[in-house]
């Protein structure tokens, strides 16, 4: 038995070899819905649930709790993020919601591409945003969204952000407040990174978000947001 890898993309790559030799693979945190395909990933097993359930929960809250009919979707280009976003869109569509814009962002985007992707969300009349990306990509997107005035308690937008964010809030905040969040992005870009936020600006901006996280105790969940 092979334990791991932790992430969905590397788990998929490992399966290309392991399934050939019928070697069981067990991941403790790979959650992409794509890995549920037992024909493609025939010797893969995992302990956490598929992100299809996370997408379903987000769509259910948006439609059946708040009564919203449309949503903007922005996600990372990696397997975890794109697979989860597709599952959310499928669930939202089944519930009668419309994804008015869908944008994918590379894990190390150029700042120009990031500005364009967030700008397309800003030009929409929809004010509900579903974001699914790795923690580092989430930080880049939120920095740019804050700079464009579409993220924050006073922006008029509500952001639903998934577990890669809620499980690493401290890391996201560190990147959002860093003067140099991605040297590789700088090297590939002709413009500067979106401006860093202060700690106080981060804390205030997060009042406009809803974070998703797997929990085993549905009692006092305030500790999840201690970093904010």
């Amino acid at each position: 038995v092979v334990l791991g890898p932790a992430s969905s993309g590397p788990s998929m790559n490992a399966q290309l070899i392991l399934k050939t030799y019928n070697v069981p693979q067990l991941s403790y945190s790979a959650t992409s819905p794509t890995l549920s395909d037992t024909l493609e990933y025939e010797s893969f097993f995992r302990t956490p649930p598929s992100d299809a359930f996370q997408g379903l929960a987000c769509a259910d809250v948006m439609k059946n709790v708040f009564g919203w009919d449309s949503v903007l979707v922005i996600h990372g280009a990696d397997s975890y993020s794109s697979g989860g976003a597709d599952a959310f869109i499928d669930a939202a569509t089944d519930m009668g919601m419309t994804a008015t814009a869908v944008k994918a962002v590379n894990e190390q985007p150029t700042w120009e591409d990031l500005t364009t992707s967030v700008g397309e969300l800003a030009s929409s009349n929809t004010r509900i945003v579903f974001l699914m990306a790795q923690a580092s990509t989430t930080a880049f997107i939120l920095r740019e969204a804050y700079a464009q005035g579409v993220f924050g308690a006073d922006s008029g937008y509500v952001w639903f952000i998934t577990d890669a964010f809620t499980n690493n809030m401290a890391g996201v905040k560190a990147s959002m407040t860093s003067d140099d969040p991605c040297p590789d992005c700088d090297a590939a870009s002709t413009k500067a990174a979106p401006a860093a936020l202060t700690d106080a600006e981060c804390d205030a901006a997060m009042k406009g978000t809803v974070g998703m996280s797997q929990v085993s105790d549905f009692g006092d969940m305030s500790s999840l947001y201690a970093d904010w």
Side-chain angles (χ1 to χ4, degrees):
V1 177
V2 172
L3 299 180
S7 300
S8 296
S11 292
M12 293 175 186
N13 293 334
Q15 264 294 288
L16 295 175
I17 298 173
L18 296 175
K19 70 177 183 180
T20 303
Y21 299 98
N22 294 318
V23 176
Q25 176 188 359
L26 178 63
S27 176
Y28 46 87
S29 61
T31 54
S32 172
T34 305
L35 285 163
S36 296
D37 185 341
T38 56
L39 295 178
E40 183 69 22
Y41 306 105
E42 57 192 70
S43 68
F44 176 81
F45 304 89
R46 56 184 166 193
T47 55
S50 162
D51 280 321
F53 295 102
Q54 185 171 202
L56 176 62
C58 284
D60 183 56
V61 170
M62 290 180 187
K63 180 64 176 180
N64 297 321
V65 176
F66 294 109
W68 295 326
D69 294 319
S70 60
V71 61
L72 301 166
V73 178
I74 186 166
H75 63 86
D78 60 286
S79 299
Y80 156 80
S81 307
S82 58
D86 287 344
F88 166 76
I89 293 170
D90 288 344
T93 300
D94 288 344
M95 294 181 189
M97 298 183 68
T98 300
T100 54
V102 180
K103 299 301 299 181
V105 175
N106 290 330
E107 289 188 78
Q108 294 185 331
T110 65
W111 302 129
E112 292 87 351
D113 287 345
L114 186 62
T115 297
T116 299
S117 295
V118 174
E120 291 187 26
L121 301 185
S123 65
S124 171
N125 290 326
T126 301
R127 294 293 181 265
I128 311 304
V129 184
F130 174 84
L131 167 58
M132 188 162 194
Q134 300 291 350
S136 58
T137 313
T138 294
F140 302 154
I141 292 170
L142 294 181
R143 279 178 72 138
E144 180 62 38
Y146 188 83
Q148 294 194 31
V150 297
F151 167 65
D154 299 323
S155 67
Y157 287 74
V158 176
W159 289 68
F160 275 70
I161 313 179
T162 55
D163 62 331
F165 162 72
T166 51
N167 292 339
N168 190 14
M169 286 184 168
V172 172
K173 185 174 183 179
S175 183
M176 290 174 68
T177 57
S178 171
D179 291 329
D180 191 12
C182 181
D184 288 339
C185 301
D186 291 336
S189 305
T190 58
K191 63 172 290 186
L197 282 70
T198 66
D199 285 343
E201 286 172 334
C202 276
D203 293 342
M206 291 310 301
K207 301 299 183 183
T209 69
V210 178
M212 305 295 290
S213 184
Q214 305 98 330
V215 294
S216 57
D217 180 2
F218 293 93
D220 181 9
M221 296 175 61
S222 61
S223 60
L224 287 171
Y225 302 93
D227 288 317
W228 297 95

